[in-house]
Amino acid sequence: MKSAVETLNPTRVRLTVEVPFEELKDSLDAAYKKINQQVTVKGFRKGKIPARVIDQRFGRGAVLEEAVNDALPKFYTEAVNEAEVNPLGQPEVDITELKDGELLAFTAEVDIRPAIEIPDYSGIEVEVDAVEVSDEDVEQSVEQLRSRFATTNVVERAAEDGDVVTIDLEAKVDGEVLPDGIASDVSYTIGSGELLDGIDEAVKGLEAGGEATFTSQLKGGSAEGKDAEVTVKVSKVSAKELPALDDEFAQLASEFDTLEELKADSRKRLENMKQYDQATQAQERVLEKFIELAEIPVPEKLLEDEVNTRKHNLEHHQLGQMGLTIEKYLEFQGKTVEEFDAETREQAIKGIKTQFLLDELVNKEKLNVNQEELTEHLMRRAASSGMSPDQFAQAVVEGGQVPMLVGEVARGKALALVVEGSKVVDTNGEVVDLSDDEDEVEAAAEVVEAAVEGDADADAKADEAK
């Protein structure tokens, strides 16, 4: 076999391959054997039909076609290895010559990973939010905890903000009660925003036995998206009673003996959360700067496939699970289809460039992934998927996705390396040292996954839309 490679552009090559006919012998034998098992010829036992009879009855062309289809993957792979290129996706194959007994010639065009020069990232400098926890932040955190221990007591007065009302609902569209438009004994906290738009205004001021009618657009059910006339009847009004903020509450709600200890712990937890957010912000901004420094061509076919995959995942998985259509999602986001397409394309480009650049850095720095790092990553992915570690590990192994997970961790290590070589300062001008963060690699892997897969932002926006 002879092969040659021609570079069409930085991300695409054409392989030209010539195969002497004798190298097709194994595939020809396999073709005759396969046809033998599929056809019947009078006078011959199944599987024992001579090749000349198959040629006469079914045509030599059918045999050649079967043999070539069988042989092409092997010769294509050999040509790829000889050319030392890294193909992306499936090739476009064109058989240019097929002479029975003499020669098979074909070309294969395929996208490849571009050659990338790792830029000097030692001069990268980014600014991140300072870690600041105010007294108001602490008070809000304690109040949230306090509300979880609130009790409710029935009151004989009109409903107010924060009250819990027990209500019956009836929704009509065009004067007809919807088959799924009746609900009884629904518990609702006024101001929570958990039910229909307009319900807070309708129930405030009503006492037990009172009712009101309002118009609201339905968010789900058989008449989703339509305006409905909703009648709400209050059967009970209950007021929340919060426990006193004292040492006794601290002992009830936590492992601490005093309220001051509880507040100190709340402050520490808030600081840890903000430090994690700060580290994530630093990694995201360093990654953006790193990509900007590099020249990374993106294969057009790969980009098209990635855009389509992201749209499919959003529409049929993330939104589908929430009962939202793509049209409703865009309406909530206030975006046109054109804006959405442009945004998706931009995110896909970033994802592809992230993967190319960090993979190149992994190879250059010879970054390896040990078993402990892989196990930690697997457990985090399992938790985010809602599966147990054992279930997730089994699914990964059965799906042949272990190399994918290894790649995710390796890219996280590559990004962590770039962050360590960069200068990070907060909005107060203080240098932020992230080198002591034990979870730096795993946190960086999450940032890389969000960029490569584009799922994190989509999930958050879908939740907002819902």
Side-chain angles (χ1 to χ4, degrees):
M1 185 194 84
K2 293 192 305 182
S3 67
V5 60
E6 175 188 359
T7 300
L8 302 177
N9 61 51
T11 64
R12 194 166 179 83
V13 297
R14 178 189 292 123
L15 300 168
T16 301
V17 184
E18 292 185 357
V19 183
F21 206 79
E22 56 266 23
E23 294 187 31
L24 285 172
K25 183 180 183 307
D26 289 345
S27 293
L28 279 169
D29 291 344
Y32 279 116
K33 185 175 181 180
K34 182 177 180 180
I35 294 173
N36 240 309
Q37 299 300 321
Q38 294 176 338
V39 301
T40 301
V41 176
K42 188 175 181 180
F44 296 96
R45 285 182 296 163
K46 197 173 187 66
K48 299 295 183 179
I49 308 170
R52 59 178 176 78
V53 175
I54 290 177
D55 289 345
Q56 291 170 354
R57 290 292 187 93
F58 305 102
R60 174 72 168 175
V63 179
L64 289 175
E65 182 180 358
E66 182 67 38
V68 168
N69 288 339
D70 176 75
L72 276 177
K74 183 186 79 165
F75 292 125
Y76 166 71
T77 301
E78 289 180 8
V80 164
N81 292 336
E82 284 184 12
E84 296 183 345
V85 295
N86 296 310
L88 299 168
Q90 296 301 312
E92 294 180 6
V93 177
D94 182 24
I95 297 174
T96 56
E97 191 172 2
L98 178 57
K99 290 184 178 179
D100 194 357
E102 296 182 30
L103 179 73
L104 164 66
F106 66 92
T107 62
E109 289 190 18
V110 66
D111 286 335
I112 60 168
R113 278 181 176 262
I116 300 172
E117 184 176 342
I118 300 296
D120 178 12
Y121 49 83
S122 60
I124 291 178
E125 182 174 336
V126 298
E127 184 181 72
V128 295
D129 295 335
V131 174
E132 297 174 339
V133 178
S134 66
D135 292 342
E136 289 76 13
D137 293 332
V138 176
E139 294 298 330
Q140 183 179 8
S141 176
V142 172
E143 280 299 319
Q144 289 174 348
L145 178 63
R146 187 183 178 202
S147 66
R148 287 163 49 187
F149 287 84
T151 58
T152 57
N153 297 304
V154 177
V155 292
E156 300 296 331
R157 60 166 173 76
E160 302 173 353
D161 271 328
D163 285 345
V164 178
V165 290
T166 302
I167 55 178
D168 296 334
L169 295 165
E170 181 184 84
K172 295 180 180 180
V173 172
D174 297 330
E176 298 291 332
V177 177
L178 297 172
D180 54 354
I182 297 177
S184 302
D185 294 328
V186 177
S187 181
Y188 175 67
T189 299
I190 300 176
S192 66
E194 294 175 351
L195 279 178
L196 299 167
D197 292 338
I199 193 168
D200 289 336
E201 293 77 8
V203 296
K204 276 193 293 187
L206 294 181
E207 298 183 15
E211 67 176 62
T213 300
F214 63 100
T215 300
S216 182
Q217 187 179 76
L218 299 177
K219 297 180 180 179
S222 61
E224 179 184 0
K226 293 185 177 180
D227 287 338
E229 183 184 84
V230 182
T231 299
V232 55
K233 183 174 182 178
V234 176
S235 58
K236 185 168 60 177
V237 178
S238 300
K240 283 186 178 181
E241 185 175 337
L242 297 173
L245 273 179
D246 52 22
D247 293 346
E248 185 176 341
F249 167 70
Q251 295 164 19
L252 171 68
S254 71
E255 70 272 26
F256 301 106
D257 293 327
T258 68
L259 182 61
E260 288 308 309
E261 288 176 325
L262 173 60
K263 288 184 176 181
D265 179 69
S266 296
R267 183 179 295 276
K268 183 62 178 175
R269 285 189 296 103
L270 290 172
E271 286 176 350
N272 290 339
M273 289 170 58
K274 292 201 173 188
Q275 284 172 349
Y276 181 86
D277 291 342
Q278 184 189 65
T280 300
Q281 190 179 62
Q283 291 161 345
E284 291 172 343
R285 293 182 178 180
V286 167
L287 177 59
E288 290 176 1
K289 289 283 186 73
F290 189 37
I291 293 173
E292 288 174 5
L293 290 174
E295 188 69 34
I296 312 172
V298 176
E300 193 60 38
K301 180 65 167 61
L302 179 66
L303 176 58
E304 179 185 342
D305 291 343
E306 179 66 16
V307 167
N308 290 335
T309 297
R310 290 179 182 232
K311 287 182 178 179
H312 178 85
N313 288 342
L314 175 64
E315 185 171 1
H316 297 282
H317 296 294
Q318 293 155 286
L319 298 182
Q321 292 173 358
M322 297 177 181
L324 287 174
T325 63
I326 187 67
E327 292 79 14
K328 184 62 65 177
Y329 170 74
L330 293 179
E331 181 183 329
F332 280 124
Q333 291 296 310
K335 293 178 183 174
T336 65
V337 172
E338 291 74 20
E339 289 171 336
F340 170 71
D341 287 345
E343 183 181 274
T344 304
R345 181 181 175 85
E346 183 180 339
Q347 291 173 347
I349 290 173
K350 179 184 177 182
I352 293 170
K353 286 185 174 183
T354 296
Q355 187 167 338
F356 282 175
L357 184 56
L358 293 181
D359 282 349
E360 187 67 27
L361 186 57
V362 167
N363 293 332
K364 179 183 177 182
E365 299 294 337
K366 296 180 172 55
L367 301 178
N368 297 313
V369 176
N370 60 43
Q371 187 60 49
E372 182 181 352
E373 291 167 334
L374 182 59
T375 299
E376 182 182 353
H377 185 64
L378 185 147
M379 293 182 69
R380 182 185 65 77
R381 288 296 298 260
S384 64
S385 70
M387 300 170 68
S388 72
D390 288 343
Q391 288 174 324
F392 187 78
Q394 182 178 353
V396 166
V397 172
E398 291 177 353
Q401 295 181 316
V402 173
M404 181 193 73
L405 289 188
V406 172
E408 290 174 351
V409 179
R411 290 183 202 115
K413 296 183 78 168
L415 177 56
L417 185 67
V418 178
V419 173
E420 287 176 11
S422 305
K423 183 178 180 181
V424 181
V425 296
D426 65 20
T427 49
N428 292 329
E430 299 291 329
V431 174
V432 178
D433 184 8
L434 302 174
S435 59
D436 293 333
D437 187 352
E438 295 180 358
D439 298 323
E440 182 182 10
V441 170
E442 190 57 29
E446 290 188 43
V447 170
V448 174
E449 284 170 49
V452 171
E453 300 175 7
D455 289 340
D457 287 345
D459 282 337
K461 290 175 181 176
D463 283 337
E464 289 173 9
K466 188 181 180 186

